[in-house]
Amino acid sequence: MVFVTTFAVMMEIETALIFEKNAIPQGTVAWQSPSNIALVKYWGKKEHQIPCNASVSFTLDKSVSKTTVHYTPSDSQAFQLAFYLDGERNEKFEKKISMFFQSILHLQPFLNQLSFTIHSSNTFPHSAGIASSASGMSALALCLCQIEQNHFQTLTNTDTFLRKASTLARLGSGSACRSVYGGLVVWGETSACPQSANKYAVPLTENVHPVFHDYCDTILIIDAGQKSVSSRAGHELMHTNPFAVSRFRQASENMEILLKAISGGDLDTFIRITESEALTLHAMMMTSEPSYMLMRPNTIQVIERIRAFRSETGIPVCFTLDAGPNVHTLYPAIHKKEVLSFIKNELIIYLYNSLMIEDGTGNGPKNLDV
Ligand code: PMV
């Protein structure tokens, strides 16, 4: 008994979160959660998804995952699960979610008493090549917190609820922890944001200039194929990247500079840092061992056109990239008309099936009626 207690304390197991044997419940919960786009990038991690540097992102509005979790008592001593994407059973994601559940059992041991049927769908097209792990894992983490709250009432306080959801989401996919909040969100300890933490994200509620309240992000789909190297493998390669240490130092300096620019509405600095971060992320891929590239020729074409358009017109539009070839075009809402017409006239030829998503900063996840 002493050993069990000591073990539980060492593992920080939430022993209170276990159902009485004869009172294992059933029910259904559902959440929708958005994707996010990082400005200062998280690239490189330590054990337990602790980031090597702090990051900051915009939570998106229209690019969301909707997830419904139906649970019943498990007929074994461990959780069981079936996962459906757009109504079709998906074993690849089922394995991923199974690993995710394993990694959070110490935080929600009651999972092992349940059997889950999970249905998820994304509002953005499958073929868009947009990563759904941030929106998908955050929606799932919110559902699990909803189950905890419904049966144990441990997360009644909204801040506590969201913090736990962010902590769980981080263990599913690092960047997912930022999708739990709307607007600008910081993840990873940084002196630029005193309340920041490595285990969960925090929303940037103060010191945000109004220009960033409704910033636009038009996502230009350059290539919709599967990435040749996954983000998981990419993070791993940072352990041997010769530039890793300087990159982590640069990211921490960029956090200071960018958060100041966000507070003061300094768009020149915002653009300089955001674009440099995007290119540095891809430079890390190109300098990994083995090296690889996720940008496509049309990614470069679009980047060059955006820079030329900015210098010709003075309109503060810039780009950022995720770990893939697609280009996120970022600009203040007052320039929406001119930027959209520039995209439709000049950039459309570089896009896969003329595909783009007119998105922007959103308010974060929503609990759905079931
Ligand atoms: O959350 P992951 O493990 O898929 O890593 C994503 C990393 C980037 O999207 C490239 C950057 C970021 O901070 O979101």
Side-chain angles (χ1 to χ4, degrees), residues 27 43 76 82 100 103 107 117 126-127 135-136 152 163 180 217 228 232 263-264 273 276-277 296 326 337 350-351 358:
W43 199 242
S76 73
F100 168 50
S103 74
L107 297 172
T117 305
H126 258 333
S127 58
S135 51
F152 297 97
R163 182 163 291 182
V180 163
D217 178 1
S228 55
R232 180 184 290 266
S263 161
I273 300 296
S276 156
E277 276 289 320
R296 308 296 307 141
N326 302 325
K337 211 167 143 226
Y350 302 111
L351 309 189
E358 283 181 39

mmCIF file of all heavy atoms in Angstrom, residues 27 43 76 82 100 103 107 117 126-127 135-136 152 163 180 217 228 232 263-264 273 276-277 296 326 337 350-351 358:
data_model
loop_
_atom_site.group_PDB
_atom_site.id
_atom_site.type_symbol
_atom_site.label_atom_id
_atom_site.label_comp_id
_atom_site.label_asym_id
_atom_site.label_seq_id
_atom_site.Cartn_x
_atom_site.Cartn_y
_atom_site.Cartn_z
ATOM 1 N N GLY A 27 -22.132 8.156 -21.595
ATOM 2 C CA GLY A 27 -22.605 9.476 -22.008
ATOM 3 C C GLY A 27 -21.969 9.897 -23.322
ATOM 4 O O GLY A 27 -21.211 9.138 -23.933
ATOM 5 N N TRP A 43 9.870 24.216 -32.633
ATOM 6 C CA TRP A 43 10.511 23.199 -33.478
ATOM 7 C C TRP A 43 11.681 22.610 -32.684
ATOM 8 O O TRP A 43 12.725 23.226 -32.583
ATOM 9 C CB TRP A 43 10.986 23.823 -34.801
ATOM 10 C CG TRP A 43 11.231 22.802 -35.878
ATOM 11 C CD1 TRP A 43 12.423 22.539 -36.503
ATOM 12 C CD2 TRP A 43 10.265 21.913 -36.461
ATOM 13 N NE1 TRP A 43 12.261 21.538 -37.428
ATOM 14 C CE2 TRP A 43 10.938 21.129 -37.423
ATOM 15 C CE3 TRP A 43 8.902 21.685 -36.260
ATOM 16 C CZ2 TRP A 43 10.301 20.147 -38.187
ATOM 17 C CZ3 TRP A 43 8.263 20.708 -37.023
ATOM 18 C CH2 TRP A 43 8.971 19.956 -37.968
ATOM 19 N N SER A 76 -13.034 -4.467 -20.118
ATOM 20 C CA SER A 76 -11.741 -5.002 -19.672
ATOM 21 C C SER A 76 -11.154 -4.017 -18.659
ATOM 22 O O SER A 76 -11.815 -3.067 -18.260
ATOM 23 C CB SER A 76 -10.809 -5.181 -20.862
ATOM 24 O OG SER A 76 -10.356 -3.918 -21.305
ATOM 25 N N ALA A 82 -12.662 3.183 -30.653
ATOM 26 C CA ALA A 82 -12.851 3.113 -32.098
ATOM 27 C C ALA A 82 -12.918 4.555 -32.573
ATOM 28 O O ALA A 82 -13.623 5.381 -31.978
ATOM 29 C CB ALA A 82 -14.150 2.397 -32.420
ATOM 30 N N PHE A 100 -1.902 8.520 -27.279
ATOM 31 C CA PHE A 100 -2.229 9.750 -26.542
ATOM 32 C C PHE A 100 -2.901 9.398 -25.204
ATOM 33 O O PHE A 100 -2.501 9.895 -24.142
ATOM 34 C CB PHE A 100 -3.136 10.623 -27.420
ATOM 35 C CG PHE A 100 -3.780 11.781 -26.723
ATOM 36 C CD1 PHE A 100 -3.029 12.666 -25.951
ATOM 37 C CD2 PHE A 100 -5.152 12.010 -26.834
ATOM 38 C CE1 PHE A 100 -3.633 13.745 -25.299
ATOM 39 C CE2 PHE A 100 -5.758 13.079 -26.203
ATOM 40 C CZ PHE A 100 -4.991 13.935 -25.424
ATOM 41 N N SER A 103 -0.540 8.207 -22.692
ATOM 42 C CA SER A 103 0.330 9.249 -22.136
ATOM 43 C C SER A 103 -0.387 10.145 -21.132
ATOM 44 O O SER A 103 0.261 10.915 -20.428
ATOM 45 C CB SER A 103 0.939 10.086 -23.269
ATOM 46 O OG SER A 103 -0.050 10.939 -23.811
ATOM 47 N N LEU A 107 -3.060 11.497 -15.615
ATOM 48 C CA LEU A 107 -3.870 12.703 -15.356
ATOM 49 C C LEU A 107 -5.365 12.390 -15.345
ATOM 50 O O LEU A 107 -6.156 13.109 -14.745
ATOM 51 C CB LEU A 107 -3.573 13.770 -16.424
ATOM 52 C CG LEU A 107 -2.132 14.293 -16.459
ATOM 53 C CD1 LEU A 107 -1.903 15.179 -17.665
ATOM 54 C CD2 LEU A 107 -1.820 15.067 -15.175
ATOM 55 N N THR A 117 -16.192 5.592 -28.424
ATOM 56 C CA THR A 117 -16.407 5.686 -29.875
ATOM 57 C C THR A 117 -16.279 7.166 -30.208
ATOM 58 O O THR A 117 -17.042 7.993 -29.699
ATOM 59 C CB THR A 117 -17.809 5.173 -30.262
ATOM 60 O OG1 THR A 117 -17.933 3.860 -29.740
ATOM 61 C CG2 THR A 117 -17.984 5.145 -31.773
ATOM 62 N N HIS A 126 -10.029 17.797 -46.698
ATOM 63 C CA HIS A 126 -8.980 16.807 -46.504
ATOM 64 C C HIS A 126 -7.802 17.039 -47.405
ATOM 65 O O HIS A 126 -6.658 16.946 -47.025
ATOM 66 C CB HIS A 126 -9.536 15.444 -46.936
ATOM 67 C CG HIS A 126 -9.916 14.627 -45.792
ATOM 68 N ND1 HIS A 126 -9.337 14.771 -44.559
ATOM 69 C CD2 HIS A 126 -10.832 13.643 -45.671
ATOM 70 C CE1 HIS A 126 -9.884 13.908 -43.742
ATOM 71 N NE2 HIS A 126 -10.807 13.230 -44.386
ATOM 72 N N SER A 127 -8.179 17.348 -48.666
ATOM 73 C CA SER A 127 -7.167 17.462 -49.712
ATOM 74 C C SER A 127 -6.352 18.743 -49.578
ATOM 75 O O SER A 127 -5.487 19.005 -50.391
ATOM 76 C CB SER A 127 -7.869 17.453 -51.056
ATOM 77 O OG SER A 127 -8.784 18.525 -51.080
ATOM 78 N N SER A 135 -6.059 21.044 -34.201
ATOM 79 C CA SER A 135 -7.496 21.171 -33.947
ATOM 80 C C SER A 135 -8.072 19.863 -33.420
ATOM 81 O O SER A 135 -8.869 19.846 -32.471
ATOM 82 C CB SER A 135 -8.219 21.618 -35.216
ATOM 83 O OG SER A 135 -7.863 20.788 -36.304
ATOM 84 N N GLY A 136 -7.650 18.744 -33.994
ATOM 85 C CA GLY A 136 -8.186 17.439 -33.609
ATOM 86 C C GLY A 136 -7.830 17.066 -32.176
ATOM 87 O O GLY A 136 -8.697 16.658 -31.396
ATOM 88 N N PHE A 152 -16.902 14.176 -12.164
ATOM 89 C CA PHE A 152 -16.122 14.409 -10.935
ATOM 90 C C PHE A 152 -16.208 15.862 -10.441
ATOM 91 O O PHE A 152 -15.760 16.174 -9.357
ATOM 92 C CB PHE A 152 -14.639 14.045 -11.156
ATOM 93 C CG PHE A 152 -14.402 12.594 -11.472
ATOM 94 C CD1 PHE A 152 -14.254 12.173 -12.789
ATOM 95 C CD2 PHE A 152 -14.329 11.650 -10.461
ATOM 96 C CE1 PHE A 152 -14.030 10.838 -13.093
ATOM 97 C CE2 PHE A 152 -14.100 10.304 -10.755
ATOM 98 C CZ PHE A 152 -13.958 9.902 -12.072
ATOM 99 N N ARG A 163 -7.020 25.038 -18.687
ATOM 100 C CA ARG A 163 -5.607 24.729 -18.423
ATOM 101 C C ARG A 163 -5.378 23.222 -18.495
ATOM 102 O O ARG A 163 -4.384 22.766 -19.042
ATOM 103 C CB ARG A 163 -5.185 25.297 -17.061
ATOM 104 C CG ARG A 163 -3.730 25.051 -16.775
ATOM 105 C CD ARG A 163 -3.221 25.927 -15.675
ATOM 106 N NE ARG A 163 -3.172 27.324 -16.091
ATOM 107 C CZ ARG A 163 -2.720 28.320 -15.338
ATOM 108 N NH1 ARG A 163 -2.296 28.071 -14.115
ATOM 109 N NH2 ARG A 163 -2.695 29.560 -15.790
ATOM 110 N N VAL A 180 -6.527 25.655 -27.543
ATOM 111 C CA VAL A 180 -7.559 25.658 -26.507
ATOM 112 C C VAL A 180 -8.070 27.087 -26.227
ATOM 113 O O VAL A 180 -9.146 27.276 -25.659
ATOM 114 C CB VAL A 180 -6.949 24.983 -25.246
ATOM 115 C CG1 VAL A 180 -7.729 25.265 -24.001
ATOM 116 C CG2 VAL A 180 -6.797 23.490 -25.501
ATOM 117 N N ASP A 217 -5.935 35.743 -42.177
ATOM 118 C CA ASP A 217 -4.998 34.720 -42.645
ATOM 119 C C ASP A 217 -5.656 33.996 -43.819
ATOM 120 O O ASP A 217 -6.587 33.210 -43.629
ATOM 121 C CB ASP A 217 -4.697 33.717 -41.512
ATOM 122 C CG ASP A 217 -3.764 32.596 -41.976
ATOM 123 O OD1 ASP A 217 -3.340 32.606 -43.149
ATOM 124 O OD2 ASP A 217 -3.459 31.711 -41.151
ATOM 125 N N SER A 228 6.497 14.597 -46.798
ATOM 126 C CA SER A 228 7.460 13.497 -46.920
ATOM 127 C C SER A 228 8.101 13.178 -45.569
ATOM 128 O O SER A 228 8.549 12.060 -45.335
ATOM 129 C CB SER A 228 8.524 13.852 -47.950
ATOM 130 O OG SER A 228 9.116 15.083 -47.593
ATOM 131 N N ARG A 232 6.735 14.945 -36.268
ATOM 132 C CA ARG A 232 7.355 14.143 -35.196
ATOM 133 C C ARG A 232 8.830 13.877 -35.531
ATOM 134 O O ARG A 232 9.723 14.113 -34.717
ATOM 135 C CB ARG A 232 6.601 12.819 -35.058
ATOM 136 C CG ARG A 232 7.138 11.888 -33.991
ATOM 137 C CD ARG A 232 6.361 10.581 -34.019
ATOM 138 N NE ARG A 232 5.005 10.769 -33.551
ATOM 139 C CZ ARG A 232 4.624 10.563 -32.284
ATOM 140 N NH1 ARG A 232 5.495 10.135 -31.401
ATOM 141 N NH2 ARG A 232 3.389 10.775 -31.917
ATOM 142 N N SER A 263 2.201 44.258 -28.929
ATOM 143 C CA SER A 263 1.645 45.202 -27.954
ATOM 144 C C SER A 263 1.553 46.625 -28.543
ATOM 145 O O SER A 263 0.555 47.322 -28.370
ATOM 146 C CB SER A 263 2.530 45.147 -26.705
ATOM 147 O OG SER A 263 2.345 46.269 -25.928
ATOM 148 N N GLY A 264 2.574 47.013 -29.287
ATOM 149 C CA GLY A 264 2.616 48.389 -29.794
ATOM 150 C C GLY A 264 1.993 48.554 -31.182
ATOM 151 O O GLY A 264 1.949 49.671 -31.710
ATOM 152 N N ILE A 273 9.903 39.771 -38.144
ATOM 153 C CA ILE A 273 10.109 38.585 -37.293
ATOM 154 C C ILE A 273 9.295 37.392 -37.818
ATOM 155 O O ILE A 273 9.784 36.262 -37.879
ATOM 156 C CB ILE A 273 9.740 38.898 -35.816
ATOM 157 C CG1 ILE A 273 10.622 40.031 -35.273
ATOM 158 C CG2 ILE A 273 9.846 37.644 -34.942
ATOM 159 C CD1 ILE A 273 12.098 39.723 -35.178
ATOM 160 N N SER A 276 10.906 35.928 -40.904
ATOM 161 C CA SER A 276 12.180 35.292 -40.572
ATOM 162 C C SER A 276 11.950 33.962 -39.859
ATOM 163 O O SER A 276 12.642 32.963 -40.113
ATOM 164 C CB SER A 276 13.009 36.251 -39.716
ATOM 165 O OG SER A 276 13.923 35.543 -38.942
ATOM 166 N N GLU A 277 10.945 33.922 -38.972
ATOM 167 C CA GLU A 277 10.631 32.675 -38.264
ATOM 168 C C GLU A 277 10.211 31.566 -39.245
ATOM 169 O O GLU A 277 10.612 30.418 -39.098
ATOM 170 C CB GLU A 277 9.503 32.917 -37.256
ATOM 171 C CG GLU A 277 9.984 33.476 -35.926
ATOM 172 C CD GLU A 277 10.755 32.435 -35.102
ATOM 173 O OE1 GLU A 277 10.356 31.268 -35.081
ATOM 174 O OE2 GLU A 277 11.762 32.814 -34.498
ATOM 175 N N ARG A 296 7.807 23.971 -51.835
ATOM 176 C CA ARG A 296 7.778 23.599 -53.245
ATOM 177 C C ARG A 296 8.167 24.833 -54.065
ATOM 178 O O ARG A 296 8.126 25.959 -53.532
ATOM 179 C CB ARG A 296 6.365 23.130 -53.659
ATOM 180 C CG ARG A 296 5.739 22.050 -52.785
ATOM 181 C CD ARG A 296 6.488 20.729 -52.793
ATOM 182 N NE ARG A 296 6.710 20.230 -54.133
ATOM 183 C CZ ARG A 296 7.836 19.624 -54.534
ATOM 184 N NH1 ARG A 296 8.815 19.445 -53.683
ATOM 185 N NH2 ARG A 296 7.959 19.218 -55.770
ATOM 186 N N ASN A 326 2.384 24.998 -47.874
ATOM 187 C CA ASN A 326 1.315 26.000 -48.019
ATOM 188 C C ASN A 326 1.686 27.324 -47.365
ATOM 189 O O ASN A 326 2.421 27.351 -46.381
ATOM 190 C CB ASN A 326 0.018 25.442 -47.428
ATOM 191 C CG ASN A 326 -0.371 24.139 -48.117
ATOM 192 O OD1 ASN A 326 -0.147 23.991 -49.326
ATOM 193 N ND2 ASN A 326 -0.895 23.198 -47.365
ATOM 194 N N LYS A 337 -9.803 43.731 -48.833
ATOM 195 C CA LYS A 337 -10.255 43.823 -50.225
ATOM 196 C C LYS A 337 -9.070 43.795 -51.202
ATOM 197 O O LYS A 337 -9.041 43.006 -52.144
ATOM 198 C CB LYS A 337 -11.063 45.120 -50.397
ATOM 199 C CG LYS A 337 -12.126 45.001 -51.420
ATOM 200 C CD LYS A 337 -13.105 46.148 -51.374
ATOM 201 C CE LYS A 337 -13.477 46.469 -52.810
ATOM 202 N NZ LYS A 337 -13.455 47.873 -53.123
ATOM 203 N N TYR A 350 -0.506 29.801 -58.899
ATOM 204 C CA TYR A 350 0.474 28.954 -58.188
ATOM 205 C C TYR A 350 -0.202 27.947 -57.253
ATOM 206 O O TYR A 350 0.465 27.145 -56.612
ATOM 207 C CB TYR A 350 1.424 29.825 -57.351
ATOM 208 C CG TYR A 350 2.164 30.833 -58.193
ATOM 209 C CD1 TYR A 350 1.897 32.202 -58.081
ATOM 210 C CD2 TYR A 350 3.129 30.414 -59.112
ATOM 211 C CE1 TYR A 350 2.559 33.129 -58.865
ATOM 212 C CE2 TYR A 350 3.800 31.338 -59.903
ATOM 213 C CZ TYR A 350 3.509 32.686 -59.773
ATOM 214 O OH TYR A 350 4.171 33.586 -60.557
ATOM 215 N N LEU A 351 -1.538 28.033 -57.145
ATOM 216 C CA LEU A 351 -2.225 27.217 -56.140
ATOM 217 C C LEU A 351 -2.707 25.885 -56.705
ATOM 218 O O LEU A 351 -3.044 25.785 -57.882
ATOM 219 C CB LEU A 351 -3.422 27.978 -55.552
ATOM 220 C CG LEU A 351 -3.121 29.393 -55.036
ATOM 221 C CD1 LEU A 351 -4.329 29.952 -54.295
ATOM 222 C CD2 LEU A 351 -1.894 29.402 -54.144
ATOM 223 N N GLU A 358 -10.131 31.345 -46.715
ATOM 224 C CA GLU A 358 -10.142 32.713 -46.159
ATOM 225 C C GLU A 358 -10.419 32.618 -44.678
ATOM 226 O O GLU A 358 -11.558 32.523 -44.247
ATOM 227 C CB GLU A 358 -11.221 33.541 -46.845
ATOM 228 C CG GLU A 358 -10.804 34.004 -48.220
ATOM 229 C CD GLU A 358 -11.876 34.850 -48.885
ATOM 230 O OE1 GLU A 358 -12.523 35.658 -48.202
ATOM 231 O OE2 GLU A 358 -12.066 34.659 -50.104
#
